[in-house]
Amino acid sequence: MPGSAGEDAAFSLWRCVASVAQRFCGGTPSSSQSVGRASSAAAGTFRGKPLPYAGMTALTEADLECIDQRHLYRKPADPGAKRELGRQTVGAGGRCRHGWPQAIVYDPLYRERPDKSHRLGDTTRLTCPLLVTAIDKLEKGGAMERYNERLLPGADWEGELQKVNEAHRLLRLELIGDRSAELAEVRQILGEQAFAIAMRSGLASLRPEARPDVKCLHAQVADELVRGGDNPIAKQVLRDIEDQGVLIHGSEECCDNCDVRVPLPLARWKLDRCKNNVGKRLSRGRKQAASRATSLAGDVGSERSDEDL
């Protein structure tokens, strides 16, 4: 049933905006916009030093907006407000065919807000919604059990997880640097034992003395996208994803999810569901959008009733 002229005009405007935005991010991997975004990413520095790995690049304001709103589904920052994510991150790992970050490196010694105490956290995170979705399905299909078997003594991945964990322990130390005052604050909050455990843990807080466990395939792939070429577990994950028909460097349509200029209801591909806090924010955002749509429909209905009087 056709809507009112106002509804039709608003929807047409949405479609026009979405179409223009899709031209910027869609197309083939060699499209000028995609190449431009990827090539303009600077090598970057962290606390005056080069980024830890050669494949890393600095996060631009557009990257931070994309990650905040379309990867982590946080509320948009207030105009003029400093984006908290920018203070908490070091840089981007690999980028997709459209130029968006697929993984990021966090500052392991950070504050959630300027008025909060310092915390000690993980170093890498997978953000690409396309890869997150594909890995969620892989984990549900029992892939982690198969991978863990390959970590056992005598298996083909024996000792590989220890190498990955050691790389992240050293990365944490490198990023912390000489911030002794902030580190002392964390030590006081955690206590000596918990602090020592945190400092010697590896990827996804894995302890070196724990039994071999891939723990989180998202974290493994994030590691590969950041360090590049040295994680056989992540390489197997990416091969398994490709076998399922997923384009690991991005599809033709997935850029709609990452481009904030494209309204999510009109995106050709968008994240449907996700676990952890991101999934909760996504669900909450959809409920709020549905509530706004219901309210708008009620307002339109009231206007029509008034016109009929």
Side-chain angles (χ1 to χ4, degrees), residues 3-257:
S4 67
E7 286 179 284
D8 292 341
F11 185 76
S12 296
L13 178 60
W14 257 30
R15 292 294 302 179
C16 181
V17 171
S19 176
V20 171
Q22 287 166 5
R23 289 187 182 185
F24 278 106
C25 71
T28 64
S30 60
S31 65
S32 59
Q33 182 68 16
S34 300
V35 172
R37 187 183 295 122
S39 62
S40 64
T45 60
F46 177 67
R47 300 182 65 83
K49 297 180 180 179
L51 296 179
Y53 302 107
M56 289 185 63
T57 52
L59 288 164
T60 66
E61 185 61 30
D63 292 333
L64 293 171
E65 185 178 29
C66 165
I67 295 168
D68 247 346
Q69 296 185 33
R70 295 298 179 87
H71 291 182
L72 304 180
Y73 291 89
R74 292 170 173 164
K75 292 181 180 179
D78 294 331
K82 184 174 178 60
R83 201 176 294 277
E84 293 298 323
L85 185 65
R87 292 192 306 100
Q88 298 170 4
T89 49
V90 175
R95 292 176 180 265
C96 70
R97 59 185 273 188
H98 304 292
W100 299 113
Q102 292 185 297
I104 57 176
V105 174
Y106 280 121
D107 180 358
L109 190 57
Y110 71 100
R111 283 174 168 164
E112 287 185 338
R113 294 195 303 269
D115 59 333
K116 294 286 188 178
S117 300
H118 281 88
R119 300 178 63 180
L120 196 60
D122 292 327
T123 48
T124 55
R125 178 167 188 163
L126 184 71
T127 62
C128 169
L130 187 69
L131 293 181
V132 167
T133 299
I135 294 172
D136 281 349
K137 293 178 180 178
L138 203 63
E139 288 185 344
K140 289 179 181 178
M144 296 179 73
E145 289 78 6
R146 298 195 301 272
Y147 295 163
N148 280 335
E149 290 177 358
R150 299 175 67 176
L151 295 173
L152 296 174
D156 54 339
W157 289 347
E158 181 185 3
E160 294 296 339
L161 189 60
Q162 287 85 344
K163 295 178 184 177
V164 172
N165 286 335
E166 177 63 8
H168 279 265
R169 186 187 71 82
L170 295 175
L171 174 61
R172 181 183 298 108
L173 290 175
E174 179 181 353
L175 295 176
I176 288 173
D178 57 358
R179 290 181 280 175
S180 56
E182 293 96 324
L183 208 56
E185 181 182 10
V186 174
R187 187 195 300 266
Q188 183 177 11
I189 294 171
L190 294 180
E192 288 295 335
Q193 184 176 5
F195 177 78
I197 291 173
M199 287 298 291
R200 71 171 188 268
S201 64
L203 180 68
S205 300
L206 283 165
R207 301 183 188 182
E209 69 273 15
R211 69 177 181 83
D213 185 355
V214 294
K215 187 174 181 179
C216 176
L217 301 186
H218 303 77
Q220 298 290 345
V221 171
D223 168 65
E224 176 66 17
L225 292 173
V226 167
R227 292 195 301 125
D230 199 29
N231 188 324
I233 303 166
K235 289 180 180 179
Q236 184 64 59
V237 173
L238 293 172
R239 284 194 295 269
D240 288 347
I241 289 174
E242 286 185 308
D243 289 343
Q244 294 180 356
V246 176
L247 300 174
I248 62 174
H249 298 297
S251 68
E252 180 77 17
E253 300 85 10
C254 68
C255 64
D256 287 6
N257 186 94

